[in-house]
Amino acid sequence: MPEPPVTITSLRNPRIVALRKLDQRKHRERQGRFAVEGLQLLHMALDAGLCPLELFYCEALFTGDQAPALLARTLALGGEAMPVSSDVMHRLSERTDPQGLVATFALLQRPLETLTLSPDALLVVVDRLNDPGNLGTLIRTADAVGAAAVALVTPCVDAFDPRTVRATMGSVFHVPLFEVSELATFFAHVRSKGLRVVGADAHLGQPWDERPWPGGVALVLGNEAQGLSADLRVEIDAWASLPMVGQAESLNVAVAGGVLMYAWLRANWPR
């Protein structure tokens, strides 16, 4: 029988040093991976068919049977699992009560040429968002309504920032993500698939509960502070607005996006 792996007890261990750097976007991009903790997130990653590149675990911090089950699933998939001491796990974890598991996965962004769209699909396009919580919530909602993908117009907050990943509640493992820099080429491709490009604006277009939702739609949501950029506005085929009958000046982009996604779902349900 092979000898059990040696427990990592030092924060200076090269694997631990590399892992701790993944809280920075530049190191996620250099290493081509991101870190995930949380039993629900890890179960959803494995359920999506992903295998961790590495799984760091501390059995002394396991409670219940979920963490052992995740460790067993990772080993069964051929993933590399390394034991660490309780002190090391506490330094790796962002939780006050670590659950004893931290894993790394390859970055999930896909090449734009692999984006496939049916004529009745919903594509969510976000314009240079700054807040990881907003992006994560939009990805989670896109998953809930069955969107085909989420396209991130760059520069955009990182979809694999730990705060974004947590806000997705695991949907980051299910919704295809694409970065977009060449807008004209991208929207030409979208239209070639039969989708209409609908922009969200507080003052333009039809109210959210009217047309143009039936059929395929690319829903474009603006930046938290500036709204839709000028280079995106010229690509819009139709506008959708949300009524503002109180004193609020604007809606959070994740809230507005959620309402509009469900407006699309209502118009196309059942499909």
Side-chain angles (χ1 to χ4, degrees), residues 51-71:
C51 180
L53 301 174
E54 300 170 308
L55 178 68
F56 299 88
Y57 67 94
C58 177
E59 291 182 295
L61 296 176
F62 287 0
T63 59
D65 57 7
Q66 287 196 57
L70 283 164
L71 175 58

Side-chain angles (χ1 to χ4, degrees), residues 11 21 46 78 98 101 117 143 184-185 197 208 218 235 243 268:
L11 293 174
K21 288 181 178 179
L46 297 183
L101 295 172
L117 297 166
D143 187 14
T185 301
V197 181
W208 68 277
E235 299 289 347
N268 293 278

Side-chain angles (χ1 to χ4, degrees), residues 125-131 134 138 153 155-157 200 220-229 232-233 250-254:
V125 184
V126 296
D127 181 15
R128 304 170 176 96
L129 294 190
N130 293 321
D131 184 85
N134 284 336
L138 286 166
V153 177
C156 184
V157 64
V220 187
L221 304 168
N223 172 273
E224 293 93 342
Q226 283 82 35
L228 285 183
S229 305
L232 262 173
R233 298 181 79 86
S250 62
L251 284 174
N252 172 277
V253 64

Side-chain angles (χ1 to χ4, degrees), residues 196-256:
R196 285 164 292 112
V197 181
V198 177
D201 188 279
H203 307 292
L204 297 176
Q206 298 169 306
W208 68 277
D209 60 345
E210 298 178 5
R211 305 303 177 188
W213 297 119
V217 167
L219 173 62
V220 187
L221 304 168
N223 172 273
E224 293 93 342
Q226 283 82 35
L228 285 183
S229 305
D231 56 354
L232 262 173
R233 298 181 79 86
V234 300
E235 299 289 347
I236 302 301
D237 298 324
W239 294 93
S241 62
L242 290 170
M244 305 285 291
V245 298
Q247 299 304 309
E249 180 183 0
S250 62
L251 284 174
N252 172 277
V253 64
V255 173

Side-chain angles (χ1 to χ4, degrees), residues 43-257:
H43 272 303
M44 291 187 74
L46 297 183
D47 290 345
L50 302 177
C51 180
L53 301 174
E54 300 170 308
L55 178 68
F56 299 88
Y57 67 94
C58 177
E59 291 182 295
L61 296 176
F62 287 0
T63 59
D65 57 7
Q66 287 196 57
L70 283 164
L71 175 58
R73 290 182 69 185
T74 298
L75 292 172
L77 289 170
E80 186 177 14
M82 285 158 286
V84 301
S85 68
S86 177
D87 288 342
V88 170
M89 182 57 68
H90 274 87
R91 296 296 293 271
L92 294 178
S93 176
E94 295 187 344
R95 301 170 61 100
T96 56
D97 55 341
Q99 296 173 311
L101 295 172
V102 175
T104 63
F105 293 88
L107 296 180
L108 302 173
Q109 280 171 338
R110 309 184 188 194
L112 197 54
E113 57 268 23
T114 66
L115 173 61
T116 57
L117 297 166
S118 64
D120 61 348
L122 174 66
L123 172 67
V124 180
V125 184
V126 296
D127 181 15
R128 304 170 176 96
L129 294 190
N130 293 321
D131 184 85
N134 284 336
L135 178 57
T137 300
L138 286 166
I139 292 171
R140 182 180 179 185
T141 309
D143 187 14
V145 301
V150 174
L152 317 175
V153 177
T154 59
C156 184
V157 64
D158 189 8
F160 306 106
D161 183 294
R163 295 166 293 178
T164 308
V165 173
R166 285 196 300 272
T168 72
M169 293 296 291
S171 291
V172 69
F173 300 116
H174 296 285
V175 179
L177 304 176
F178 298 87
E179 287 192 347
V180 176
S181 56
E182 297 293 333
L183 295 179
T185 301
F186 170 72
F187 282 108
H189 174 71
V190 168
R191 290 191 180 90
S192 74
K193 301 302 180 180
L195 275 65
R196 285 164 292 112
V197 181
V198 177
D201 188 279
H203 307 292
L204 297 176
Q206 298 169 306
W208 68 277
D209 60 345
E210 298 178 5
R211 305 303 177 188
W213 297 119
V217 167
L219 173 62
V220 187
L221 304 168
N223 172 273
E224 293 93 342
Q226 283 82 35
L228 285 183
S229 305
D231 56 354
L232 262 173
R233 298 181 79 86
V234 300
E235 299 289 347
I236 302 301
D237 298 324
W239 294 93
S241 62
L242 290 170
M244 305 285 291
V245 298
Q247 299 304 309
E249 180 183 0
S250 62
L251 284 174
N252 172 277
V253 64
V255 173

